Amino acid sequence: MEQPRRTTTSAPAATRGLWRFFLYSAIGLFMFFVPVTIGEKNTIPLDHLVTLAATLLGGAVKYVALALIAAGTVYPFATGRWRESGTKRVFAFLNIAGLAAGVALVFGVGPAWLFEPDLGPFLFEKLVIPVGLIVPIGAVFLALLVGYGLMEFVGVMLQPVMRPLWRTPGRSAIDAVASFVGSYSLGLLITNRVYQSGRYTARDAAIIATGFSTVSVTFMLIVAKTLELMHLWLPYFFLTFAVTFAVTAITVRIPPLSRIPDETFEGVEAKPERKVTGSRLAAAWSEARGVLAQAPSLGRNVWSNFKDGVLMAMAILPSILSVGLLGLVLARYTPVFDWLGYVFFPITWALQLPDPMLAAKASAVGIAEMFLPATVVAGHPSELLRLVIGVVCVSAIIFFSALVPCILATRIPIKLWQLVVVWAQRVALTLIIATPLAYLIVGRS
């Protein structure tokens, strides 16, 4: 049972520097959550900043990404982390393959199939470079968002919603919104940092990583355009939002997530959200002030977060290339995902989806890369099928080209087989929940 956490900080210390809560939190919220139009692009300021960084780097950006891949390949061997588990050993050696692929793509040498536009170039240009920039840069502003009391304030206010529905602390609402508006990699960066600080348990972190770490609205736009759903953008967005979190509310109550230990990070004192008995607003403000009083200086906090961001980028990028490339090759050249589609065929058939075998295959191929289901049904005459698969792309959450390496790069104690099981659960539940709702939106086609 959670116990109230007492703050022993003196009143003068607790009130000193209150401006930091308002100023730093406002900057963090603005960077992550307020879309701004610059030129013809409307997106959050952080995305604009990443675009600016890529523009300033110009042709050098691919070498920066390659340097991160090389450092990430060496790091597990230099630190000995590759010995921690069988999964980490496998990924450590897959990183070597990722580095080889990165060198080939950057210097233009290697087999012709690697340079097919939807294989190597897609992974490097659409995933590796953006993630390699957004994680370290985003980490700088992450320090403002989670380091000066805002997370605690929001957490206390949303406790009555988050805990009963998703069995996570109220403060996890920040993670959910950061992922949906910004990036799953940033959401995972928040989750990993909060877990290691003792403010999430292992189960909290696993639920958040597999239930809230969706692709961003930007990716949803790409999916909607590919599936010719832009005329249904708002219904598609809200349907996806509702289904994603409804599915999460179910998966947290069944194994394997329900059986992950409800324990804090090893060697760290638990810092649970306190129970509120009086005014919730007063309690939220008190909690925020307590964290603010113990918060480090801006420079130290930003530097610490930036280092974490660089380390996470190093861990992610080699795996995106190696595992992502393997998944895309299997999807393109082998019948593996046709076979896997039979797992979902009884569901798509029972739901009377148009072309149920194609729907099942599209649902299955998403474990390799979230965008692949959209490419499988793009151009299909059934708007209903395209809408349902568009929701599956996002709500399934777990995919090997990026999210799985991201999660395995953190300290969150969730195993590879558990991720695969949760993925299958999420796909099945998404089909079951989204299809009837999609019928209401577009009817039979």
Side-chain angles (χ1 to χ4, degrees):
M1 178 181 293
E2 293 183 350
Q3 297 297 327
R5 180 162 59 91
R6 299 183 181 276
T7 302
T8 57
T9 311
S10 65
T15 57
R16 188 169 57 245
L18 286 179
W19 61 269
R20 296 187 300 167
F21 171 83
F22 295 103
L23 180 61
Y24 295 165
S25 298
I27 295 172
L29 288 170
F30 174 73
M31 293 301 295
F32 281 90
F33 302 128
V34 181
V36 174
T37 300
I38 298 178
E40 297 182 354
K41 185 177 182 181
N42 180 265
T43 187
I44 58 174
L46 177 61
D47 194 24
H48 285 301
L49 192 59
V50 169
T51 301
L52 176 63
T55 302
L56 292 175
L57 286 168
V61 71
K62 61 184 180 181
Y63 298 106
V64 172
L66 185 60
L68 287 170
I69 292 170
T73 302
V74 172
Y75 187 76
F77 295 101
T79 60
R81 286 191 63 183
W82 71 284
R83 297 191 186 94
E84 290 179 0
S85 68
T87 300
K88 289 189 185 298
R89 290 189 189 94
V90 171
F91 271 86
F93 286 99
L94 282 172
N95 286 351
I96 298 174
L99 176 59
V103 170
L105 289 165
V106 168
F107 294 102
V109 294
W113 62 264
L114 180 62
F115 294 90
E116 290 291 325
D118 55 350
L119 291 178
F122 166 77
L123 283 173
F124 201 83
E125 295 167 15
K126 302 299 183 183
L127 289 175
V128 170
I129 290 177
V131 170
L133 292 177
I134 200 171
V135 172
I137 294 173
V140 171
F141 296 97
L142 190 63
L144 307 180
L145 195 64
V146 304
Y148 295 94
L150 178 65
M151 180 171 262
E152 281 65 31
F153 183 88
V154 171
V156 174
M157 295 302 295
L158 292 182
Q159 223 176 53
V161 176
M162 301 302 294
R163 183 61 73 183
L165 287 180
W166 296 290
R167 296 188 173 178
T168 59
R171 54 173 69 113
S172 63
I174 292 285
D175 278 10
V177 178
S179 296
F180 229 91
V181 178
S183 162
Y184 58 83
S185 53
L186 291 174
L188 284 170
L189 193 64
I190 296 174
T191 305
N192 190 46
R193 190 162 187 82
V194 177
Y195 169 55
Q196 291 187 81
S197 73
R199 291 180 285 173
Y200 287 158
T201 66
R203 187 184 301 164
D204 292 337
I207 289 171
I208 294 162
T210 60
F212 298 152
S213 299
T214 63
V215 294
S216 66
V217 175
T218 305
F219 268 97
M220 291 177 66
L221 281 167
I222 296 171
V223 170
K225 288 178 181 177
T226 302
L227 294 175
E228 300 176 34
L229 296 172
M230 285 308 295
H231 63 291
L232 293 174
W233 167 246
L234 286 180
Y236 168 64
F237 175 83
F238 287 112
L239 175 64
T240 302
F241 187 91
V243 170
T244 298
F245 291 105
V247 169
T248 300
I250 298 172
T251 57
V252 302
R253 290 168 166 80
I254 57 179
L257 290 181
S258 65
R259 293 185 179 173
I260 292 177
D262 202 24
E263 301 169 351
T264 52
F265 186 67
E266 185 178 356
V268 175
E269 180 186 357
K271 301 180 182 70
E273 292 177 331
R274 63 172 177 165
K275 298 288 186 180
V276 177
T277 55
S279 166
R280 187 163 295 277
L281 181 61
W285 181 233
S286 173
E287 190 80 3
R289 288 171 63 187
V291 171
L292 183 63
Q294 301 172 43
S297 66
L298 179 62
R300 188 169 60 167
N301 200 6
V302 165
W303 176 242
S304 176
N305 275 266
F306 178 71
K307 286 193 299 182
D308 281 355
V310 171
L311 288 173
M312 176 165 274
M314 286 164 45
I316 295 168
L317 299 191
S319 298
I320 288 179
L321 266 184
S322 59
V323 180
L325 190 60
L326 177 61
L328 293 179
V329 167
L330 288 175
R332 180 165 180 170
Y333 296 110
T334 75
V336 167
F337 291 105
D338 293 286
W339 301 335
L340 190 56
Y342 284 106
V343 173
F344 303 111
F345 176 71
I347 298 173
T348 57
W349 175 82
L351 292 169
Q352 297 184 13
L353 276 170
D355 211 339
M357 192 62 231
L358 182 68
K361 178 185 176 180
S363 300
V365 78
I367 195 171
E369 158 58 35
M370 63 77 52
F371 190 65
L372 287 181
T375 65
V376 172
V377 300
H380 196 280
S382 171
E383 191 169 74
L384 172 69
L385 176 61
R386 287 183 276 119
L387 179 57
V388 171
I389 296 303
V391 176
V392 171
C393 283
V394 179
S395 182
I397 290 183
I398 296 164
F399 57 100
F400 272 82
S401 71
L403 189 83
V404 169
C406 281
I407 293 176
L408 295 178
T410 69
R411 308 297 288 182
I412 301 169
I414 184 166
K415 297 179 174 62
L416 185 62
W417 71 266
Q418 292 173 318
L419 290 173
V420 174
V421 171
V422 173
W423 165 79
Q425 292 171 340
R426 294 195 66 89
V427 171
L429 289 168
T430 297
L431 289 168
I432 292 168
I433 297 172
T435 300
L437 297 174
Y439 268 107
L440 295 177
I441 294 173
V442 302
R444 291 179 181 271
S445 54

